[in-house]
Amino acid sequence: MNVRQLDISRRSIALAAALIGTVSLAIGAHAALNMRSLDAAKAVSTDQVTGSVGQSSRLALVIGNGHYPDATAPLTQSINDARALSSSLRKSGFDVDMVEDASKDDMVRAVNRLKSRIKHDTTVMLFFGGYGVQAGRESYMLPVDAVIWKESDVRRQGVSIEGVLNMMKEQGAKAKLVVVDASRRNPYERRFRSYSHGLAPIGTPDNALILSSASPGKVVDDGKGEHSTLVSELLANLNAQGSAESVFNKTRVAISRASEGDQVPAVSSSLLEDVHFDQAGG
């Protein structure tokens, strides 16, 4: 190979290397641009989801716990109740977070999700169906993985209803609605009490409305229907005209009459304004 041919070969190699470098830079720039586009798309999608969540003024956390390992039989009504109530509330414009057979971690996460979404104009509803136990002056919702042998375990293993209500208040919720269907005889109290005490009176913060399946200190037996007595009557009255307070009171009266006074739900209200389940009512 002569000198001229060697120079041509060197120039060809250099040109090819330069061309390869240019193509590599172009490919890298294109990939980076695509990555930035994907990241931007994700950000827009997240903002859209967050925005829609933040705009909701009617939130509900519905918990139905039915399969407790310590119980002799599952509480099938609690699961049915949670599903039916969730469906009805969604039709009424509530953004519903429903949890079934929740562990302690599941319940804590659900409460934290609710907390993060409450705004000052939000109407918030909590429903719990399952086992509840009174400890001290508070009533606790029990997760399905609760391990309870003494009263102090209830405070550690359970989730305080008053605690959730106080969280709603601290977050500035406009109105707070609570339905508790947990006044049942349960396998946990038998380990440290001679009988089931029912639930304690639930403290009512400002602008709150609370419906419990039985009067404080009372327990009720589950029926044989698809839904509990409380939820059956509540669903029947939920779409009726009138305020949420009138719906809860109609439910209480219907159950009391049907049971001839054996079961008298408790209604406690400190509402400062009318709240309606139907969107047309406000």
Side-chain angles (χ1 to χ4, degrees):
M1 179 182 292
N2 59 34
V3 173
R4 187 163 177 253
Q5 289 175 325
L6 183 60
D7 289 341
I8 290 172
S9 297
R10 287 174 177 172
R11 285 199 297 271
S12 298
I13 293 170
L15 181 61
L19 181 60
I20 291 171
T22 301
V23 171
S24 298
L25 287 172
I27 292 172
H30 182 68
L33 181 61
N34 282 343
M35 186 61 69
R36 286 196 297 270
S37 298
L38 286 172
D39 288 341
K42 289 178 181 178
V44 170
S45 176
T46 302
D47 286 342
Q48 287 174 344
V49 171
T50 304
S52 64
V53 167
Q55 291 167 4
S56 179
S57 61
R58 295 157 75 86
L59 300 174
L61 172 56
V62 176
I63 303 173
N65 285 351
H67 294 85
Y68 291 87
D70 289 16
T72 56
L75 300 174
T76 56
Q77 289 180 337
S78 295
I79 304 295
N80 294 336
D81 293 345
R83 293 174 180 175
L85 186 59
S86 293
S87 177
S88 184
L89 289 173
R90 288 187 179 110
K91 292 176 182 177
S92 296
F94 280 82
D95 193 343
V96 180
D97 184 2
M98 184 182 72
V99 185
E100 295 181 7
D101 285 333
S103 66
K104 173 68 178 290
D105 287 344
D106 292 334
M107 292 176 70
V108 170
R109 282 194 293 266
V111 171
N112 286 335
R113 285 195 300 270
L114 181 67
K115 178 180 179 179
S116 69
R117 301 175 64 186
I118 296 175
K119 308 298 181 184
H120 287 286
D121 64 340
T122 308
T123 294
V124 188
M125 180 168 176
L126 168 68
F127 169 82
F128 175 74
Y131 286 133
V133 175
Q134 174 183 343
R137 296 183 178 181
E138 292 188 53
S139 294
Y140 290 81
M141 305 176 285
L142 297 189
V144 295
D145 63 347
V147 179
I148 295 172
W149 292 96
K150 53 187 182 295
E151 184 171 339
S152 59
D153 292 335
V154 176
R155 298 184 180 90
R156 288 192 296 269
Q157 301 282 328
V159 176
S160 167
I161 297 171
E162 284 85 353
V164 177
L165 271 166
N166 288 335
M167 176 275 290
M168 294 178 185
K169 178 181 179 180
E170 290 169 1
Q171 293 301 109
K174 180 175 70 172
K176 300 161 280 291
L177 310 176
V178 176
V179 177
V180 182
D181 194 2
S183 299
R184 295 179 167 93
R185 294 179 178 85
N186 63 78
Y188 302 99
E189 283 184 287
R190 298 173 194 153
R191 295 169 179 167
F192 60 89
R193 289 176 183 155
S194 57
Y195 61 93
S196 293
H197 283 188
L199 300 181
I202 299 172
T204 309
D206 294 341
N207 216 19
L209 177 66
I210 301 171
L211 170 64
S212 298
S213 55
S215 302
K218 302 291 184 180
V219 294
V220 294
D221 294 319
D222 289 320
K224 300 184 182 297
E226 180 182 5
H227 299 291
S228 71
T229 303
L230 179 73
V231 173
S232 293
E233 293 296 341
L234 178 61
L235 290 171
N237 288 291
L238 206 56
N239 296 321
Q241 296 296 318
S243 66
E245 191 165 348
S246 70
V247 169
F248 282 12
N249 281 322
K250 287 177 182 177
T251 299
R252 177 179 59 83
V253 170
I255 293 173
S256 178
R257 287 176 176 171
S259 66
E260 297 182 345
D262 287 340
Q263 180 179 351
V264 183
V267 176
S268 178
S269 176
S270 61
L271 287 179
L272 304 176
E273 57 188 276
D274 282 343
V275 177
H276 295 258
F277 285 107
D278 60 301
Q279 288 182 302

